[in-house]
Amino acid sequence: MRRFLLSLTLAFSASAADWSLEKLYTRPFVWGTAPARLTWAEKAPTLVFLWNEEGRRFLDLYAWHAPAKRRVRLTNLEFARDEFNPLPDENDERLKASRMPSAGLSDFAVSADGARVAYVWRGDLYLAQADGSKSVRLTQTKASEGAPAFSPDGQRLLFRRGGELFTQHLETGFLVQITEDPTGAATWSPDGTRIAYTKSSPGTTRTQVLMNYSGQFARAQSFNRGVAGDDGGASSRYVVASTGGKPVQLQDAFPGQRARFSQPVWSPDSRSLLVTAVSADHHTKQVWVLDAKTGKGKSVFEARDDRWVSAEFEGWSPDSQSLLIASDRDGFLHLSKVPAAGGSPLPLTKGNWEMDTESFSYPPQWIGDQIVYCSTEAGTNQRQLYRIAPDGTGKRPLTTRAGLNVGAMSKDGQFLAVLHANLNAPWDLFVNNERVTVSPRPEFASYDWPKTEFVEFPSRADRATVKAKLLLPPGYSPQKQYPCVFFIHGAGIASSVLQQWGSYLDLRFVFNAYLANSGYVVMDLDYRGSSGYGRDWRTGVYLHMGGPDLQDVLGAVDYLKARGSVDMNRLGIWGVSYGGFMTNMALFLSPGTFKAGSSWAAVNDWENYNPGYTQQRLSTPAAHPEAYRRSSPITFSGNLRDHLQIVHGMVDSNVLFQDAVQLTEKLIHERKPFDEIFYPQEDHGFVRDETLIDAFGRTARFFNQHLKP
């Protein structure tokens, strides 16, 4: 009997999940790599997407031929070398020892007939057959090429080289330079005769420097980056013949202002273009329809907001007579149909729910006699796809499985590609319910991922309802008391309270799951500013970030106290980016509430941050200096009395390393104890396995030291 029991024990141990950080954060990750960038061909049921089926970081190209239900891998470039365009760390032995795993491909286009895919690798253009038969190199230049786009007939390829636009005939090789000035995004007219493009000029030019000390010699990488209060960049839009020639400039909304404009969108009949403009103060949005020949046009839709407008989505009807516009001017983001010639909008959707426009989602599609869109109608923690008629009737769900369902329909309306995730499964791709990818590794199923409990509670600010979820430790009992760590999601926008394994970002979710498995309750909430909850919630931080949203976090503290299963003397808090900012605000403005906080990549002074994001929420430092003062953690660092850990990448190009340095300097001056960890080669989101293991390990030990008996 003893031998039998020993055998059972050994068998269980051999199959038990390894919850060490070394296992969790060593690629290939057990949860795999999610498919991304679903792209249907215009005139064929061929779906092209990015994926790594081995679970590593590098994204390669795949095609799904829907009628045949056949998946084809188009590229295999993760370990390929290019002697003509080597990476910097391939020729520096010191950098090579700590090189970053490549993100892989991202820039690609599919021909209208679905037969070919153009893509960019290391700044050169390649052409792959969608059946996987071959891939050829089109360019080998020191100038970087990008943004490939097939002409509608598939004969020419539009691309950008050194800021200029070129077209190349794929049969004859004939190369035409289209522009003479640096340009931005560009699109073909549906009839292939013209190209619309954007030309940008920087606003207030500031040269920022990212320092990398890891090689034999320190390297300074300079880039242009404005700060709060700077003038934003200006842009102008043009139409030019696809054979070259004199361009026609499109009329500007808000003349004399440095307004923000969308890329022009062609009408299906190639006669008009749609452009969305947001005023420099972010209070007004206009949708313009412009004549492609003359460049003249008019505003056919306007929305105003005394905080900041939502600029989400606009598109054309198939007959070029109507526009499909998303706006939250009535309180929630909904679709309306607007005559292209101007006139009253016809609301198509309504209710206390929203269209989904988050980064993981896909825009609405008008295909024939149906409009396909994704929304939160089934609940703020779900995403479901729906179809509706262009007059607002006949709405019905296209997906019903609990969790998140986002994706796109083939242009013939016959095949629906859906990325699906739920509480037990990460993102995977399905087409007409046929499974196309299996992303998790086999050992994923051996993990007892923490139970999720969805809760809600009133904010301290105004008693508004805050949605949240708890990750519960193994064997959780309401009669016991547990330490608790709050996770504050980043971006200020986005959402984390979702019926999704890997909610918001999988690397951070897995660390939260690790904490739960280690005996912590984890509180994860959608504070004010999070997406999916309507205009008032979206703009609730106007002129005071770290104000009402922090009161939402403190409402969660009140909820846990009443719940009774959390030891209120053992609360921790952590987050990245905006989550790091909120961690610092919580420690500095509510001292004694959280015993320990780990602040990753935090904005500590909003005057250091980029003008677009800050001016939406705080206006400018000149107009509202008090808004910047009361929204910046560095103002209140003298209140620190709990344990603080500062974590930052030294080559962070989003929240610059200076924010960590300036807070460090002030805390030293104020004689406040704190811990700090800096990562010399990491940007805003950490990438290397060893960095993730080290950073999450230090943070876990920090919480264990201060929150566990």
Side-chain angles (χ1 to χ4, degrees):
M1 177 61 72
R2 181 178 298 173
R3 181 179 300 173
F4 176 70
L5 290 175
L6 179 60
S7 298
L8 284 178
T9 301
L10 290 174
F12 178 80
S13 299
S15 63
D18 182 353
W19 276 96
S20 69
L21 293 172
E22 288 75 12
K23 171 61 178 175
L24 290 171
Y25 291 107
T26 298
R27 291 181 172 90
F29 297 146
V30 298
W31 58 93
T33 301
R37 289 279 311 278
L38 310 183
T39 306
W40 286 103
E42 284 290 330
K43 297 179 180 178
T46 301
L47 178 72
V48 178
F49 59 97
L50 298 170
W51 189 41
N52 188 306
E53 59 186 305
E54 289 84 21
R56 293 189 295 273
R57 186 174 187 237
F58 192 100
L59 295 176
D60 270 305
L61 279 168
Y62 292 77
W64 175 255
H65 298 276
K69 299 182 179 180
R70 184 167 63 94
R71 192 185 79 203
V72 180
R73 183 170 187 165
L74 304 183
T75 62
N76 192 358
L77 295 169
E78 181 172 4
F79 302 108
R81 287 181 61 86
D82 181 2
E83 298 298 335
F84 188 77
N85 284 320
L87 299 176
D89 58 15
E90 290 179 341
N91 296 323
D92 187 319
E93 291 301 319
R94 299 187 189 186
L95 287 176
K96 189 183 297 184
S98 56
R99 66 186 306 180
M100 296 289 180
S102 173
L105 305 181
S106 61
D107 205 356
F108 70 90
V110 186
S111 63
D113 63 4
R116 294 180 290 185
V117 181
Y119 64 92
V120 178
W121 183 60
R122 297 199 181 181
D124 281 323
L125 291 168
Y126 293 76
L127 192 64
Q129 297 298 314
D131 62 4
S133 59
K134 65 177 180 178
S135 181
V136 297
R137 187 171 192 161
L138 295 179
T139 64
Q140 183 174 300
T141 64
K142 289 300 181 182
S144 181
E145 286 106 17
F150 285 96
S151 61
D153 62 8
Q155 295 184 8
R156 290 174 290 170
L157 190 68
L158 171 69
F159 61 92
R160 192 166 60 244
R161 174 188 290 163
E164 303 292 352
L165 292 176
F166 294 79
T167 64
Q168 185 167 9
H169 198 285
L170 294 174
E171 296 299 326
T172 67
F174 186 61
L175 184 69
V176 177
Q177 183 170 339
I178 302 297
T179 61
E180 297 181 7
D181 297 306
T183 62
T187 55
W188 292 92
S189 62
D191 63 8
T193 63
R194 285 174 286 194
I195 294 168
Y197 66 92
T198 298
K199 183 167 64 176
S200 299
S201 59
T204 302
T205 302
R206 297 179 187 272
T207 301
Q208 305 278 9
V209 177
L210 299 176
M211 293 298 302
N212 191 317
Y213 295 94
S214 297
Q216 182 177 4
F217 302 101
R219 291 185 297 123
Q221 177 185 345
S222 300
F223 69 110
N224 292 329
R225 157 72 178 264
V227 298
D230 286 347
D231 289 332
S235 65
S236 48
R237 284 138 300 285
Y238 297 85
V239 173
V240 65
S242 62
T243 53
K246 184 178 180 181
V248 173
Q249 184 172 355
L250 300 181
Q251 182 179 349
D252 268 349
F254 310 112
Q257 292 189 33
R258 286 185 174 267
R260 291 154 180 82
F261 296 86
S262 69
Q263 171 65 13
V265 180
W266 285 99
S267 60
D269 64 9
S270 299
R271 297 174 60 185
S272 305
L273 294 120
L274 164 66
V275 175
T276 299
V278 175
S279 60
D281 62 8
H282 297 275
H283 293 320
T284 304
K285 175 178 81 171
Q286 293 181 352
V287 179
W288 281 60
V289 173
L290 303 118
D291 183 270
K293 289 183 178 179
T294 66
K296 303 299 182 183
K298 65 177 182 177
S299 173
V300 299
F301 178 87
E302 181 172 290
R304 304 180 67 87
D305 196 307
D306 58 5
R307 294 179 176 180
W308 76 90
V309 291
S310 171
E312 299 292 353
F313 167 81
E314 289 78 37
W316 287 94
S317 63
D319 63 4
S320 303
Q321 298 302 303
S322 301
L323 308 178
L324 190 62
I325 293 176
S327 172
D328 67 357
R329 65 179 184 176
D330 294 326
F332 290 86
L333 190 67
H334 282 293
L335 287 175
S336 294
K337 184 174 72 171
V338 177
S344 300
L346 171 67
L348 301 182
T349 63
K350 60 182 178 180
N352 293 342
W353 49 270
E354 293 214 304
M355 308 298 304
D356 181 46
T357 57
E358 290 175 296
S359 60
F360 55 70
S361 195
Y362 291 80
Q365 298 172 277
W366 193 329
I367 299 174
D369 62 352
Q370 64 179 330
I371 295 167
V372 177
Y373 66 91
C374 184
S375 83
T376 66
E377 185 173 2
T380 56
N381 61 14
Q382 293 197 55
R383 302 292 184 270
Q384 301 289 351
L385 287 158
Y386 298 83
R387 62 162 293 177
I388 195 170
D391 61 1
T393 63
K395 181 176 68 176
R396 66 177 180 85
L398 294 174
T399 59
T400 56
R401 287 189 293 178
L404 302 193
N405 302 274
V406 302
M409 184 168 280
S410 62
K411 303 306 170 68
D412 62 5
Q414 299 302 305
F415 298 94
L416 181 64
V418 176
L419 287 174
H420 172 74
N422 57 44
L423 289 174
N424 300 312
W427 291 114
D428 260 318
L429 173 60
F430 299 78
V431 176
N432 285 11
N433 294 319
E434 182 84 18
R435 187 162 191 163
V436 176
T437 64
V438 179
S439 295
R441 313 308 298 158
E443 60 268 35
F444 178 84
S446 69
Y447 282 80
D448 186 16
W449 299 102
K451 178 183 176 183
T452 301
E453 181 180 340
F454 292 93
V455 299
E456 57 185 51
F457 44 81
S459 171
R460 275 194 196 174
D462 52 10
R463 309 298 293 173
T465 299
V466 183
K467 299 290 183 73
K469 69 181 182 187
L470 297 174
L471 300 184
L472 301 176
Y476 171 80
S477 170
Q479 281 69 49
K480 296 182 180 179
Q481 285 210 321
Y482 298 86
C484 177
V485 173
F486 280 47
F487 170 66
I488 312 299
H489 73 70
I493 50 177
S495 176
S496 188
V497 182
L498 300 168
Q499 291 189 37
Q500 174 203 6
W501 188 98
S503 186
Y504 175 59
L505 286 174
D506 50 19
L507 291 174
R508 299 169 196 180
F509 172 84
V510 170
F511 181 60
N512 289 333
Y514 172 85
L515 291 175
N517 188 69
S518 302
Y520 292 94
V521 170
V522 177
M523 165 64 77
D524 184 353
L525 69 153
D526 279 346
Y527 53 84
R528 206 122 351 175
S530 300
S531 54
Y533 297 91
R535 177 264 178 191
D536 290 347
W537 201 259
R538 172 180 67 82
T539 63
V541 296
Y542 185 62
L543 298 183
H544 195 183
M545 292 189 286
D549 47 355
L550 178 57
Q551 296 303 307
D552 298 337
V553 173
L554 296 178
V557 174
D558 298 337
Y559 165 79
L560 291 175
K561 183 177 181 180
R563 184 182 174 102
S565 58
V566 167
D567 184 343
M568 304 308 291
N569 294 315
R570 294 191 289 159
L571 296 184
I573 185 170
W574 87 284
V576 184
S577 193
Y578 200 94
F581 151 75
M582 286 282 283
T583 295
N584 287 341
M585 290 296 262
L587 293 181
F588 300 163
L589 290 179
S590 187
T593 300
F594 297 96
K595 193 173 182 181
S598 183
S599 167
W600 293 38
V603 176
N604 292 310
D605 187 340
W606 286 106
E607 289 197 42
N608 294 338
Y609 202 57
N610 72 62
Y613 186 94
T614 53
Q615 289 175 19
Q616 281 182 329
R617 292 156 178 80
L618 300 178
S619 184
T620 65
H624 290 280
E626 176 59 19
Y628 280 81
R629 188 199 71 82
R630 69 184 182 183
S631 297
S632 296
I634 201 165
T635 305
F636 308 104
S637 60
N639 296 331
L640 178 65
R641 75 180 201 215
D642 304 294
H643 301 284
L644 170 63
Q645 181 187 65
I646 300 172
V647 182
H648 216 111
M650 293 175 66
V651 290
D652 191 333
S653 58
N654 183 354
V655 180
L656 304 184
F657 184 50
Q658 72 181 56
D659 269 77
V661 172
Q662 290 173 358
L663 180 61
T664 295
E665 189 66 33
K666 190 160 185 284
L667 290 170
I668 292 170
H669 176 75
E670 293 165 340
R671 300 184 181 181
K672 298 292 183 179
F674 62 95
D675 299 326
E676 59 186 356
I677 317 160
F678 301 143
Y679 292 93
Q681 286 207 79
E682 295 288 356
D683 201 330
H684 195 57
F686 295 171
V687 171
R688 285 186 349 205
D689 294 4
E690 54 267 40
T691 299
L692 297 169
I693 293 167
D694 186 82
F696 285 126
R698 289 175 186 263
T699 300
R701 291 190 293 274
F702 172 76
F703 284 138
N704 289 343
Q705 177 185 353
H706 298 298
L707 303 182
K708 285 195 170 180

